[in-house]
């Protein structure tokens, strides 16, 4: 593997691995990115973890995500099964 360091940027020639001058990391042409502020993204909208510890899935922003958990533990989900109850946006039934 050839690794080049140019103008404060590290780049691998054989794999898509880049660390820019400010410390932002990108692997797999953006399949995984970690910013110098601490935000991690896997895929474009699959898994996100921000610098404050908030986590969300399924959207590029936490507000649009069908599933999220704040750093204080507040859970948002559009549907699911909890303790034998099926819950969606309109009702709750025994599973």
């Amino acid at each position: 593997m050839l690794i080049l360091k140019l103008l404060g940027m590290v780049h691998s020639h054989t794999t898509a691995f880049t660390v820019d001058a400010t410390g932002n990391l990108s692997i797999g042409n953006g399949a995984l990115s970690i910013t110098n502020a601490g935000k991690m993204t896997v895929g474009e909208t699959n898994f996100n973890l921000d610098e404050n510890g908030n986590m969300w899935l399924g959207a590029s922003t936490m507000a649009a995500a069908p599933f999220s958990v704040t750093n204080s533990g507040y859970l948002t989900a559009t549907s699911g099964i909890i303790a034998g109850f099926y819950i969606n946006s309109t009702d709750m039934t025994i599973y």
Side-chain angles (χ1 to χ4, degrees), residues 12-73:
S12 168
H13 179 68
T14 58
T15 61
F17 172 89
T18 304
V19 179
D20 70 18
T22 62
N24 296 313
L25 169 69
S26 177
I27 299 173
N29 292 322
L32 169 66
S33 64
I34 302 173
T35 68
N36 63 358
K39 181 179 179 192
M40 180 175 79
T41 303
V42 179
E44 290 181 24
T45 60
N46 293 327
F47 176 84
N48 298 276
L49 179 64
D50 72 14
E51 61 276 5
N52 298 312
N54 300 304
M55 190 260 309
W56 65 96
L57 305 168
S60 58
T61 65
M62 189 169 182
F67 179 83
S68 64
V69 180
T70 68
N71 63 2
S72 61

Side-chain angles (χ1 to χ4, degrees), residues 68-92:
S68 64
V69 180
T70 68
N71 63 2
S72 61
Y74 186 86
L75 172 72
T76 300
T78 57
S79 65
I81 298 171
I82 300 174
F85 290 92
Y86 175 75
I87 302 167
N88 65 28
S89 61
T90 59
D91 58 28
M92 181 172 76

